[in-house]
Amino acid sequence: MGDEKPAEEPKRQDGDSEESTKEVKPADPCDYIRSHLKHIQKAVSLKEHRYITRVLRAIASTRTKLSDKVLRTLLVQYLADSPARQSLLGYLAEEMDDDASSSDTTESTVEVLSEAALKQAMPEIECYLHLLTVIYVIDRKQYDQAVTCSLEVVEKLNSFNRRSLDAIGARCYFYYARAHELSDRMQEIRSTLLARLRTSTLHFDVEGQATVINLLLRNLLHFRLYDQANKLVLKIVFPPSAPNSESARFMFYCGVIKAILLEYTESSNFLLQALQKSPQNTAIGFRQTVNKFSIVVQLLLGHIPDRALFRQKEMKKPLEPYFELTQAVRNGDLKMFTDVVQKFQEKFKADNTCNLITRLRQNVIKAGIRKICLSYSRISMADVAERLRLDSAEDAEFIVAKAIRDGVIEASIDHQNGFMQSKDTLDQYSTTEPQAEFHKRISFCLNLHNQSVKAMRYPEKKDTDKKESAKKEKDSDKKDSEKTTSEKSS
């Protein structure tokens, strides 16, 4: 999911290794973005989607090079005859005299697009420059202007019907939703996103469809409309060929929805898939968020998360409250659990896990009862209430009865004398539980293998054919040269 390394550019099978080498890292930010515009034009002329994908992968590095001067120079150069030029220039700061003179005399070290090519790629280039302007305005924290600018690019996208705009359009809708979220106006965009989802589905726009589905789920979860989000997940079909980044987001949102709806096993599976599909060296914030929900869901399932997770460098500090929570649940200490919840209540609310954590109280009590049952063969209800820090022996009797009914412990209650009698521990290997656990692990491994095969990339057929034909020609030339050499020697 990361950007391709510049050093590997000459190895690409596009026949333009020398040209790619020249465009590795231009010193001037304007030249750097111009090289991206050339890739966009090449993608349109050759109908190769991978060039635009390469440009969009570099958005993170491109946004660090944006400035009023850079954007103004590019808008003046590439949108000379476009009515959107003045509108976009209005979002930039007023230029100084020195900047104006330098922008007039700037000459690109990268070959500028020809007039015919520029005209052909105008919709894609215009939308890409519009996208860069939206990103720059968001980075300056001018959220109201970002909303207006994003509305303009969305209207412009709706006026075109070009498949070469699908990838750029998906990224534009992402920042359109982001601008509204930062300005606290998310309720205004739901109808627009639903309309775009219908259009993307009809046009078989995989990336746009995946992006808009995730934006809709994020919107519904923001307003805590969990039933509507669940209905959306059940009715739509998420494209299996969507990028890993969008697949990871979709799995995360599904995991959150299932956790809220008490379907903890499915939620755990979705969150685990989200972690697998997320990048391992980047997107640290995303992995931290997924791990927070995953820890709470595992505790709700009665499992204890691996201690190594809390020792990871980038996870140690953000997961500290969840480590203390895990300790409280593991020890079955109700007072310790209450203290941890009160201590980190604001943190849990900010993480949107407070609702799930309040459900852990019963799990803490069950863990405590399980420890008591293993420690004592017979114990009075008054002692159970004292160790669990309950109000009365009647409460303890009710909780123990519920634990026996749920299969948490193997015991019986003597109501007349008021004590709990533990039964002999059953040999787990005489039951079908080990078989079910092995089946679960094997299914997980097979599913992981299938997903890995689907995620593999293969060279396009025409590129393979070209390579094979070139190899055959080279072999035939070599044989001819050897033949002529042998004839001359004889």
Side-chain angles (χ1 to χ4, degrees), residues 263-280:
E263 300 176 15
Y264 300 130
T265 302
E266 291 187 30
S267 173
S268 178
N269 293 334
F270 278 124
L271 294 173
L272 183 60
Q273 291 181 53
L275 284 172
Q276 290 172 352
K277 287 183 175 290
S278 62
Q280 300 304 309

Side-chain angles (χ1 to χ4, degrees), residues 98 147 166 216 354 441 453 474:
D98 296 339
V147 168
D166 287 346
L216 279 169
C354 190
R441 295 183 182 184
V453 171
K474 186 177 180 180

Side-chain angles (χ1 to χ4, degrees), residues 256-464:
V256 174
I257 294 168
K258 296 299 181 184
I260 296 296
L261 299 179
L262 306 178
E263 300 176 15
Y264 300 130
T265 302
E266 291 187 30
S267 173
S268 178
N269 293 334
F270 278 124
L271 294 173
L272 183 60
Q273 291 181 53
L275 284 172
Q276 290 172 352
K277 287 183 175 290
S278 62
Q280 300 304 309
N281 299 323
T282 56
I284 296 175
F286 177 77
R287 289 191 289 115
Q288 288 174 352
T289 304
V290 177
N291 276 317
K292 290 173 184 177
F293 277 92
S294 181
I295 289 169
V296 178
V297 170
Q298 287 184 59
L299 292 175
L300 287 169
L301 284 170
H303 304 156
I304 302 299
D306 189 3
R307 195 183 186 94
L309 172 64
F310 302 99
R311 292 177 176 174
Q312 296 179 17
K313 183 179 180 181
E314 64 272 10
M315 300 291 173
K316 189 172 183 179
K317 187 174 181 181
L319 297 184
E320 182 179 354
Y322 296 88
F323 176 71
E324 295 189 22
L325 186 70
T326 302
Q327 292 291 91
V329 175
R330 182 174 177 271
N331 296 330
D333 191 335
L334 195 59
K335 184 177 184 305
M336 181 180 178
F337 171 77
T338 305
D339 293 341
V340 171
V341 172
Q342 291 178 352
K343 179 180 178 182
F344 298 105
Q345 188 172 13
E346 295 301 323
K347 176 67 174 174
F348 294 146
K349 286 182 178 179
D351 294 338
N352 293 322
T353 56
C354 190
N355 186 21
L356 295 174
I357 289 173
T358 54
R359 303 179 189 177
L360 282 172
R361 187 175 185 274
Q362 293 298 324
N363 293 64
V364 177
I365 294 174
K366 288 178 182 179
I369 292 175
R370 194 181 294 112
K371 289 183 66 176
I372 291 173
C373 188
L374 292 173
S375 302
Y376 300 92
S377 60
R378 180 176 175 179
I379 185 171
S380 66
M381 290 300 171
D383 291 337
V384 172
E386 181 181 353
R387 280 165 175 74
L388 295 179
R389 309 195 182 195
L390 301 175
D391 296 333
S392 62
E394 288 78 11
D395 292 342
E397 186 174 346
F398 171 76
I399 291 172
V400 170
K402 189 175 184 300
I404 294 173
R405 188 194 65 182
D406 295 341
V408 177
I409 57 174
E410 293 289 336
S412 61
I413 300 177
D414 188 334
H415 297 283
Q416 185 175 1
N417 297 320
F419 64 83
M420 178 184 71
Q421 180 75 41
S422 301
K423 296 181 180 180
D424 293 336
T425 305
L426 182 67
D427 183 13
Q428 297 292 334
Y429 289 96
S430 64
T431 65
T432 59
E433 187 173 345
Q435 181 182 358
E437 187 64 27
F438 276 119
H439 175 72
K440 179 181 175 182
R441 295 183 182 184
I442 292 170
S443 299
F444 170 77
C445 293
L446 291 175
N447 187 32
L448 179 62
H449 174 267
N450 292 336
Q451 290 180 3
S452 302
V453 171
K454 290 179 181 179
M456 291 177 68
R457 294 181 180 179
Y458 301 94
E460 297 184 8
K461 190 174 184 299
K462 61 179 183 180
D463 292 337
T464 308

Side-chain angles (χ1 to χ4, degrees), residues 453-479:
V453 171
K454 290 179 181 179
M456 291 177 68
R457 294 181 180 179
Y458 301 94
E460 297 184 8
K461 190 174 184 299
K462 61 179 183 180
D463 292 337
T464 308
D465 294 341
K466 288 180 181 178
K467 192 173 182 180
E468 290 178 355
S469 61
K471 187 177 181 181
K472 288 180 181 179
E473 291 178 3
K474 186 177 180 180
D475 292 340
S476 62
D477 292 342
K478 187 176 181 180
K479 289 180 180 178

